[in-house]
Amino acid sequence: MTSAPSSTPRTTSRAGAWIHFVRERFQIPALLLVGVAQGASAQFVITDQLDGWALVIAVSGLAGLLATMRLMDELKDVEKDRVAHPDRPLARGLISEGEAKRGLVVAIAALGVGVVVLWVLNPVAGGLLGVCVAYSLLMYREFFVPDWLESRPFWYAVSHQVVLLPMYAFATAAAVPAAATDAAVLWFGLTGLGASFTLEVCRKLDPAAHPVLRTYLSVSGPARTFAAAAAATLLAAVAAVPLGVQLFVWPAAGLLLVSLVVVARRPDRFALPAVAATLLVVVQVLAPTLTHVTGIGR
């Protein structure tokens, strides 16, 4: 087994190992920021008032889901990481797979308790959170067709991204349960789906990536990969119109499309679309809040 890199501090306890693992791979500040932005914007698409308690519920649920799915991904990818990314915590043995699986059980149990408690207080929000948890478990099991999905990377990406739609609805339902199925919430979810799918593709455009990773480029080729990223970007841009946030989303989407053209001609610039896609995700999730604060687009 590959030894830990010199930058990894020695841990004196399993708690210390877990703390280092979480710091290295979970990006908790980013998860919380995304949760706050998504939770606030999910309210502003249907009301001008921000419910602070509902925001706390939404952020807790969203951050818990995202952290749990991050741990699921770490476990699913450990064999590939031992080959392509041996410096990652599970691959280098910072914590064992058994410990990670026990941690996953604890995380799922905590989410389950949250679902039950929230169901009592707010059945719509609790039900939607329960749908997200159940779907994440199906994602972890690769919908019981792992080989089929692995050979079809875009279907894999779609199947693992659509959970965003009930997540966005949950964030709205935490404040206004009756509005969870409003058209505006769906459009907001679709802008998020498009932006997130684009990021999923664009962060894996390195032409020198290890073959074991089976990136979109290596499996589907450049033409289909760039077409999929462009189509997802256009989905975010189109869905932004009925939501009234196109003045924020379109410049970021345009920048991303330009970056795809650049990297199609210069594969060594593969990092550009990843940066542009990250910007699109940030702008998209903040757009309803920015519209509320600035009045732009109203």
Side-chain angles (χ1 to χ4, degrees), residues 154-228:
F154 292 118
W155 281 110
Y156 180 98
V158 170
S159 69
H160 285 60
Q161 295 290 320
V162 295
V163 70
L164 288 171
L165 297 179
M167 287 174 68
Y168 275 62
F170 156 71
T172 298
V176 187
T181 57
D182 279 12
V185 179
L186 175 61
W187 289 121
F188 186 36
L190 288 174
T191 62
L193 180 61
S196 181
F197 184 96
T198 304
L199 178 60
E200 165 65 17
V201 174
C202 289
R203 67 189 183 87
K204 299 176 181 177
L205 294 180
D206 185 356
H210 197 288
V212 74
L213 297 176
R214 295 181 60 80
T215 64
Y216 302 104
L217 278 177
S218 64
V219 175
S220 302
R224 291 180 63 189
T225 298
F226 294 140

Side-chain angles (χ1 to χ4, degrees), residues 205-207 259-260 262-274:
L205 294 180
D206 185 356
S259 75
L260 290 173
V262 171
V263 80
R265 298 184 177 185
R266 292 283 307 274
D268 58 306
R269 301 290 183 87
F270 63 89
L272 290 178

